[in-house]
């Protein structure tokens, strides 16, 4: 297992290198000049050329990438072209809000999806099954921005249960932190719950039809013991896979929701950076998200061995 983890961590190097190259090239294809955006329409050609030289924008792309990647390998993501703040500092200030929202949304999706998926599989072709699938279909079909606005209208404007905008850090006040994140987490988690519900149902149905499940039942195993001890555990592999993918989707899909709820997270930072052509910030954020995503995939692979002891990474 240890050797497998080491190999996977080493494999992150070429993955992140490819990601950095693609991101760098795509970012520099965005129309517009950061120097022109910063100086405004009244800037003279001399002022524009001077700022471009100061920011290194007049160098060839290959030279710009070389200087950037050398600093990245040293842990230096560079400086923001707009605020002149360190990119690592900007990301570290915004990342906790996005991570908290993502984790909260993922927990909500699992709380909704796992029970619904199990009930749907156990009560196949009944009103319980059809009702669960309708909920899952609605979750998959509803756009997160529409769900966010609907939740604000119902639970904030009419009922007054939750604040409609703003953010409170976890260490400042846990209760207010959860209240501010509940509506945005619901708008994200409900959609992901639909996907996980369908996967849970499909996986559980496949497991519950196996011969060993019928044997356990024939030996007098109680229904819930069979479902949770033998059924759910053996059905977890595809569920874990989709949950891992959903975490990455949630992490990268908070832009609209953070904007609607005025959450100072990575999403709003990226939006502002794109408008301002702040290349270092955009590149830094995407690299951080890519790193988190591949680490989550590593954790998912390790969880496979826990839920399925037949998986042996020492031979891989």
């Amino acid at each position: 297992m240890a050797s497998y983890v080491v190999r996977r961590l080493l494999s992150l190097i070429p993955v992140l290198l490819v990601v950095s190259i693609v991101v760098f090239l795509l970012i520099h294809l965005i129309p517009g000049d950061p120097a022109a955006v910063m100086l405004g329409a009244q800037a003279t050609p001399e002022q524009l050329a001077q700022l471009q030289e100061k920011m290194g924008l007049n160098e060839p792309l290959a030279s710009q990438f070389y200087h950037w990647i050398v600093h990245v390998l040293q842990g230096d993501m560079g400086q923001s072209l707009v605020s002149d703040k360190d990119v690592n500092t900007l990301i570290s200030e915004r990342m906790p809000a996005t991570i908290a929202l993502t984790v909260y949304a993922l927990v909500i999706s699992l709380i909704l999806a796992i029970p619904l998926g199990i009930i749907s599989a156990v009560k196949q072709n009944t009103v319980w099954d059809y009702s669960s699938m309708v909920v899952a279909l609605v979750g998959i079909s509803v756009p997160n921005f529409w769900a966010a606005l609907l939740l604000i209208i119902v639970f904030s404007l009419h009922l007054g249960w939750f604040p409609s905008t703003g953010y409170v850090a976890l260490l400042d006040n846990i209760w207010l932190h959860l209240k501010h994140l509940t509506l945005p987490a619901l708008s994200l988690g409900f959609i992901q719950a639909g996907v996980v519900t369908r996967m849970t149902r499909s996986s559980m149905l496949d497991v519950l039809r196996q011969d060993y499940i019928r044997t356990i039942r024939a030996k007098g195993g109680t229904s819930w013991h069979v479902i949770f001890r033998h059924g759910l555990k053996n059905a977890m592999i595809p569920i874990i896979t989709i949950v891992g993918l959903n975490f990455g989707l949630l992490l990268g899909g908070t832009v609209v929701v953070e904007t609607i709820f005025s959450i100072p997270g990575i999403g709003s930072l990226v939006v502002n950076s794109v408008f301002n052509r702040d290349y270092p910030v955009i590149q830094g954020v995407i690299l951080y998200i890519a790193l988190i995503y591949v680490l989550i995939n590593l954790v998912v692979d390790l969880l496979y061995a826990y839920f399925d002891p037949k998986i042996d990474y020492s031979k891989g």
Side-chain angles (χ1 to χ4, degrees):
M1 179 69 75
S3 61
Y4 173 77
V5 172
V6 172
R7 291 197 305 269
R8 284 295 303 268
L9 291 176
L10 290 176
S11 70
L12 298 184
I13 297 174
V15 171
L16 293 177
L17 180 60
V18 172
V19 170
S20 66
I21 294 172
V22 173
V23 168
F24 185 87
L25 293 176
L26 290 177
I27 292 301
H28 283 75
L29 291 176
I30 298 176
D33 185 350
V37 173
M38 293 171 64
L39 293 176
Q42 305 302 321
T44 64
E46 292 77 14
Q47 292 174 326
L48 189 60
Q50 184 179 4
L51 184 57
Q52 287 175 335
E53 183 177 359
K54 178 182 177 182
M55 298 166 63
L57 298 175
N58 58 343
E59 297 180 10
L61 276 181
S63 177
Q64 292 184 49
F65 176 75
Y66 172 77
H67 292 304
W68 176 68
I69 199 65
V70 167
H71 285 88
V72 168
L73 292 175
Q74 299 172 358
D76 179 13
M77 291 289 182
Q79 305 292 123
S80 169
L81 301 180
V82 177
S83 65
D84 204 34
K85 292 182 67 175
D86 184 69
V87 172
N88 286 322
T89 301
L90 287 173
I91 294 175
S92 64
E93 291 173 351
R94 299 295 194 98
M95 187 65 80
T98 298
I99 293 293
L101 175 58
T102 301
V103 171
Y104 197 179
L106 188 63
V107 170
I108 288 175
S109 71
L110 294 179
I111 290 174
L112 293 174
I114 299 297
L116 284 176
I118 293 173
I119 292 171
S120 185
V122 174
K123 304 291 186 180
Q124 186 184 13
N125 298 327
T126 67
V127 66
W128 295 99
D129 184 19
Y130 300 142
S131 300
S132 298
M133 287 302 97
V134 167
V135 173
L137 184 61
V138 171
I140 295 173
S141 305
V142 172
N144 56 19
F145 69 88
W146 189 85
L149 295 175
L150 185 63
L151 289 171
I152 289 174
I153 293 172
V154 175
F155 293 102
S156 181
L157 298 182
H158 287 292
L159 298 177
W161 292 356
F162 301 98
S164 59
T165 59
Y167 174 76
V168 176
L170 177 64
L171 297 179
D172 293 340
N173 190 306
I174 296 177
W175 176 242
L176 289 179
H177 173 78
L178 294 176
K179 284 191 69 174
H180 278 84
L181 286 185
T182 296
L183 294 186
L186 276 172
S187 64
L188 288 171
F190 184 64
I191 296 171
Q192 300 304 322
V195 180
V196 179
T197 298
R198 292 171 66 90
M199 179 58 70
T200 303
R201 177 184 185 273
S202 176
S203 185
M204 283 292 295
L205 283 174
D206 184 59
V207 170
L208 293 177
R209 291 167 180 161
Q210 299 297 316
D211 291 338
Y212 71 89
I213 295 292
R214 286 193 287 267
T215 301
I216 295 171
R217 283 175 170 166
K219 290 182 177 181
T222 61
S223 179
W224 290 112
H225 176 76
V226 172
I227 292 169
F228 287 101
R229 178 66 180 85
H230 300 281
L232 182 60
K233 184 175 181 180
N234 290 292
M236 283 301 293
I237 297 296
I239 298 173
I240 291 172
T241 303
I242 199 68
V243 168
L245 293 174
N246 280 353
F247 187 90
L249 292 174
L250 286 171
L251 192 63
T254 60
V255 176
V256 175
V257 172
E258 286 183 0
T259 303
I260 292 174
F261 289 95
S262 300
I263 297 175
I266 290 296
S268 56
L269 177 63
V270 170
V271 170
N272 293 332
S273 299
V274 169
F275 284 133
N276 294 319
R277 310 296 190 272
D278 200 344
Y279 298 153
V281 175
I282 302 172
Q283 292 163 178
V285 169
I286 295 177
L287 273 184
Y288 268 104
I289 291 178
L291 177 61
I292 294 173
Y293 194 79
V294 294
L295 289 176
I296 290 296
N297 284 332
L298 173 60
V299 173
V300 167
D301 285 348
L302 298 179
L303 286 174
Y304 287 166
Y306 172 77
F307 285 99
D308 188 354
K310 293 182 294 184
I311 298 176
D312 186 4
Y313 289 120
S314 63
K315 298 179 182 178

